Amino acid sequence: MLEIGRSSSSSNASVDKGSPAGSKPICEVCGSTNVSDAICIEHLSCGYMASIATFEFNNFVCPRCGRKLVKENVDYRKVVLRVCHNCGHIARIKEAALLKKADRGVHVGETLSTTTNLSSWTEYVENVLAKLELRYVKDYKVRGESGAVHHWDFGVWLSKRERPEMVIKLNLTNSSKPVLRPLDNIFDILSIAIKKADSGIKHLILIMNYEGSDNLLKTCEELDIKLVSAHHEELFTETLKHLIKTIRRSKSS
């Protein structure tokens, strides 16, 4: 079981000196008040940081080093990051004893309804790829320029080149839990975008649970990521066909 402390205070917590008590938080770079704070987990052994949902989906095994997270302040610590929606700056504002609403007992042994959702989506994507007669590899792994090995649910080729023209990522969270805030999803998207760039693959279709958000769609558009809601399977087929046409058109021009 992942041990997450429930205390609202901590001797290791630092104070957000940039935002006096009662004042509205601001971006330390541009001064904008259009900012949001997100709670993340930092794995102390390797330094990997992602949203709580990312670790939960991965059964609290670190995606970078493969080690299990169990005890807070021994294996991991929780931090709060502030994102500015005006200039894009991301700042680490404190190591946190977290808000109670984000700190409900999280147990590794929980049965995730995500499993069924992930299985059905994997089967659906595979069927679509087969019907379109595309060459693909399921559970595609590639070593990035940094030396890290990245895992993608599907690699899809439109030519005979070594690396696929596109990858497909299923980033499905536990549907039995409250919907993630858009900011949590943005952090996951940024992390995935970094892996995409390191993999040397230009095109990515990202399938994830999210509620309509202009910020999410804008972020994905800027990162050359096609975002598909996990609630609309038909949109995946349309997005895939459009992306294939775009890639082939760029090659012929």
Side-chain angles (χ1 to χ4, degrees):
M1 181 176 73
L2 180 67
E3 298 177 9
I4 291 183
R6 295 173 177 266
S7 172
S8 59
S9 62
S10 170
S11 59
N12 293 328
S14 61
V15 178
D16 182 8
K17 297 179 180 179
S19 298
S23 68
K24 195 169 185 178
I26 64 172
C27 174
E28 62 184 26
V29 173
C30 71
S32 172
T33 56
N34 186 18
V35 299
S36 300
D37 294 351
I39 299 164
C40 296
I41 286 180
E42 179 182 21
H43 188 200
L44 297 177
S45 295
C46 69
Y48 181 79
M49 186 184 302
S51 68
I52 293 176
T54 296
F55 280 99
E56 182 181 16
F57 178 72
N58 206 42
N59 202 27
F60 295 102
V61 173
C62 178
R64 175 184 288 174
C65 69
R67 294 181 181 176
K68 191 86 167 180
L69 279 67
V70 178
K71 189 172 180 61
E72 185 176 4
N73 294 326
V74 175
D75 301 313
Y76 71 96
R77 64 185 166 195
K78 291 167 287 186
V79 299
V80 176
L81 299 183
R82 177 165 295 161
V83 173
C84 177
H85 301 293
N86 182 55
C87 70
H89 179 68
I90 300 176
R92 176 171 174 157
I93 61 172
K94 60 180 135 180
E95 296 170 7
L98 296 181
L99 302 175
K100 291 182 180 179
K101 66 179 180 181
D103 217 10
R104 296 169 185 173
V106 180
H107 301 280
V108 170
E110 286 180 333
T111 301
L112 302 182
S113 59
T114 307
T115 305
T116 302
N117 197 15
L118 178 61
S119 176
S120 61
W121 255 108
T122 300
E123 182 179 355
Y124 177 78
V125 171
E126 197 163 11
N127 287 338
V128 171
L129 295 175
K131 287 179 180 178
L132 294 176
E133 298 182 340
L134 296 172
R135 184 165 69 94
Y136 67 91
V137 170
K138 186 177 176 181
D139 191 23
Y140 174 67
K141 300 175 184 178
V142 59
R143 186 174 297 278
E145 294 180 7
S146 67
V149 176
H150 303 298
H151 299 250
W152 304 100
D153 293 284
F154 293 91
V156 183
W157 283 260
L158 303 179
S159 66
K160 295 182 179 179
R161 56 178 288 179
E162 180 182 355
R163 294 200 175 185
E165 277 79 5
M166 75 174 83
V167 287
I168 299 171
K169 175 69 175 177
L170 299 172
N171 195 54
L172 308 179
T173 53
N174 187 355
S175 59
S176 68
K177 291 186 177 295
V179 176
L180 291 177
R181 294 180 301 168
L183 186 60
D184 293 319
N185 284 327
I186 286 177
F187 276 112
D188 285 345
I189 289 170
L190 292 175
S191 176
I192 291 169
I194 292 172
K195 295 176 183 179
K196 177 175 81 78
D198 191 47
S199 297
I201 300 170
K202 183 177 181 181
H203 302 285
L204 164 65
I205 296 179
L206 175 60
I207 302 166
M208 66 187 301
N209 302 96
Y210 76 97
E211 297 297 328
S213 169
D214 291 338
N215 278 339
L216 283 182
L217 294 172
K218 183 179 179 181
T219 299
C220 286
E221 183 179 340
E222 292 175 349
L223 296 171
D224 203 11
I225 294 174
K226 302 298 182 184
L227 181 62
V228 175
S229 170
H231 305 294
H232 302 286
E233 290 184 343
E234 68 280 359
L235 290 181
F236 167 74
T237 304
E238 295 176 10
T239 301
L240 176 61
K241 289 180 178 179
H242 182 268
L243 185 55
I244 290 172
K245 289 180 180 178
T246 301
I247 295 173
R248 287 175 173 166
R249 192 182 304 121
S250 66
K251 287 185 175 183
S252 60
S253 61

